[in-house]
Amino acid sequence: MAGAAQLISWLRAEWGSLTRFNRSDRRWPMPFAAALSSGLPLLVGASFSHLDYGLISSLGGMLFLYLPETPMYHRMVVLLACAFALIASYAAGVISQLYPPATIPALTITAILVTMVSRYYGMPPPGSFFFVMAASIGAHTPGGILDVPLKVGLLTMGCLLASLIAFLYSLITLRRQPPRPIRPLPAPTFDFVVFDAVIIGLFVGIALALAHALQLVQPYWVPVSCLAVLQGMTLRAVWTKQIHRIVDTAIGLLLAWGVLLLPLSAWTIPLVMIALAFCIEMLIVRHYALAAIFITPLTILLVEAATLGQTSPAPLIAARFWDTVLGCLVGLLGGVCLHSPRFRATVSPLIRRLLPTGLTSTPPVP
């Protein structure tokens, strides 16, 4: 009886985490501006009959999501720094795909570096997520060496457009409400900044290595799902994110299937993606699980929109589900290691000895 009572209590707790809504003061202008940042490049690409170009620039439009609610001078500096990181991450992925064996170490190193910097400067969510996603997509987008400047340039233009929209959005919103104060940076520690970043990066690399070993058709989503789970700050949060990710992806794939069955064109795809992006940004601060349902069809369109209609959507839907399951399982294993005191006590000294002294020391934040 005690075991049954514990099981019921656990199921209630899981159901509560899946159905709990959070309060938020986010109003519609921010989600609308975010949706425009990722949607306008698609409309421009459609007007020139190059939706594939618009999709790359649309990935750069995700930069808007890093806009803080601080004074103008601070928010634009943060945004431009994030733009550089997003461009560099995508470039690393695109260059690595020229020599396929380099994609796994390139993504691993990218995940370590962007996680380390994100934690050092105390970046709030989405943190390192979109940097790693850009690198993973770039690493699995076919192309030759002459395509590298074009792809990186297209993503850069998407970042510039997102920065312009963020500047105009800030001009309007700062007239109506005062900015939030700049939060002091957290005191950096080796465990939080260096150790966590190395473990997260290694498990992202392991997720991609498994995806390649299993010869998955679209392996780019496996490390992204792994990172999404690893971003939980506690083991409980990691477990909850894993459950959310798998359940919401399954529901989101049903929505994606319905979207892919529609008679989509070069002009309707951008409109659908703008609507999905708006729904995500309205919901994600209130209910992550509900927002994740819309994330799945958006990311499928973001990568596959240029080739839609050439094949049945069924293989794509099935592949995305198993990619998510594999990534979540690797992420859960990484979360167990990340939050295990025994694992930390064993591995942390090894990392300290292997890394240069300048990386293992944690100077005060300027």
Side-chain angles (χ1 to χ4, degrees):
M1 293 297 293
Q6 291 178 352
L7 177 61
I8 294 174
S9 177
W10 179 79
L11 290 174
R12 285 178 177 174
E14 292 298 325
W15 179 253
S17 66
L18 284 171
T19 57
R20 184 183 304 113
F21 274 82
N22 302 315
R23 292 184 178 181
S24 173
D25 58 355
R26 177 176 290 184
R27 302 175 64 187
W28 69 267
M30 185 274 169
F32 181 72
L36 283 183
S37 297
S38 58
L40 283 181
L42 295 170
L43 294 173
V44 174
S47 65
F48 288 99
S49 300
H50 273 290
L51 188 60
D52 52 339
Y53 290 0
L55 290 170
I56 297 175
S57 293
S58 178
L59 183 59
M62 299 297 175
L63 173 70
F64 184 92
L65 302 179
Y66 288 94
L67 182 70
E69 298 180 347
T70 51
M72 178 68 83
Y73 72 90
H74 181 264
R75 64 171 63 192
M76 296 312 299
V77 168
V78 170
L79 204 65
L80 292 179
C82 291
F84 173 80
L86 190 63
I87 294 167
S89 300
Y90 181 74
V94 171
I95 294 172
S96 70
Q97 63 89 26
L98 299 176
Y99 180 62
T103 57
I104 296 174
L107 190 64
T108 301
I109 294 172
T110 299
I112 291 174
L113 292 177
V114 296
T115 302
M116 196 177 296
V117 174
S118 298
R119 292 194 165 212
Y120 183 80
Y121 287 103
M123 290 180 58
S128 61
F129 181 81
F130 285 107
F131 305 131
V132 175
M133 188 176 85
S136 185
I137 291 176
H140 296 92
T141 304
I145 190 170
L146 296 180
D147 296 321
V148 173
L150 173 63
K151 291 179 179 179
V152 176
L154 288 169
L155 184 118
T156 302
M157 293 184 69
C159 290
L160 292 175
L161 178 60
S163 300
L164 177 60
I165 293 175
F167 178 73
L168 297 175
Y169 165 80
S170 299
L171 284 179
I172 296 172
T173 55
L174 288 176
R175 290 173 60 90
R176 299 179 178 178
Q177 59 187 35
R180 295 186 178 180
I182 301 173
R183 295 187 304 175
L185 298 181
T189 62
F190 173 81
D191 281 347
F192 184 71
V193 176
V194 180
F195 177 84
D196 285 7
V198 171
I199 299 303
I200 288 172
L202 288 177
F203 272 93
V204 167
I206 290 171
L208 183 59
L210 285 176
H212 282 283
L214 295 174
Q215 299 182 347
L216 299 183
V217 179
Q218 294 290 354
Y220 69 90
W221 194 246
V222 178
V224 175
S225 297
C226 176
L227 178 63
V229 172
L230 282 171
Q231 285 185 326
M233 298 305 294
T234 63
L235 184 57
R236 168 70 183 180
V238 169
W239 170 262
T240 300
K241 277 183 172 289
Q242 179 214 208
I243 297 296
H244 282 185
R245 200 78 186 177
I246 294 176
V247 173
D248 301 334
T249 297
I251 300 174
L253 287 173
L254 295 176
L255 176 61
W257 194 317
V259 171
L260 295 177
L261 291 178
L262 296 175
L264 299 175
S265 66
W267 287 103
T268 55
I269 288 175
L271 298 178
V272 171
M273 292 182 68
I274 289 174
L276 290 172
F278 180 82
C279 292
I280 291 168
E281 292 309 312
M282 282 294 294
L283 291 171
I284 198 163
V285 292
R286 295 175 172 85
H287 196 282
Y288 175 83
L290 191 57
I293 295 174
F294 296 93
I295 291 174
T296 300
L298 178 65
T299 52
I300 289 177
L301 290 174
L302 184 63
V303 180
E304 308 290 345
T307 58
L308 290 180
Q310 299 179 8
T311 58
S312 169
L316 178 62
I317 297 295
R320 174 55 61 86
F321 177 76
W322 293 116
D323 291 348
T324 302
V325 172
L326 177 61
C328 288
L329 292 178
V330 176
L332 178 61
L333 178 60
V336 171
C337 295
L338 200 61
H339 300 287
S340 168
R342 180 177 297 181
F343 181 85
R344 283 180 176 272
T346 304
V347 178
S348 181
L350 298 176
I351 295 178
R352 284 183 180 271
R353 288 198 295 267
L354 290 174
L355 293 178
T357 306
L359 280 177
T360 56
S361 60
T362 52
V365 179

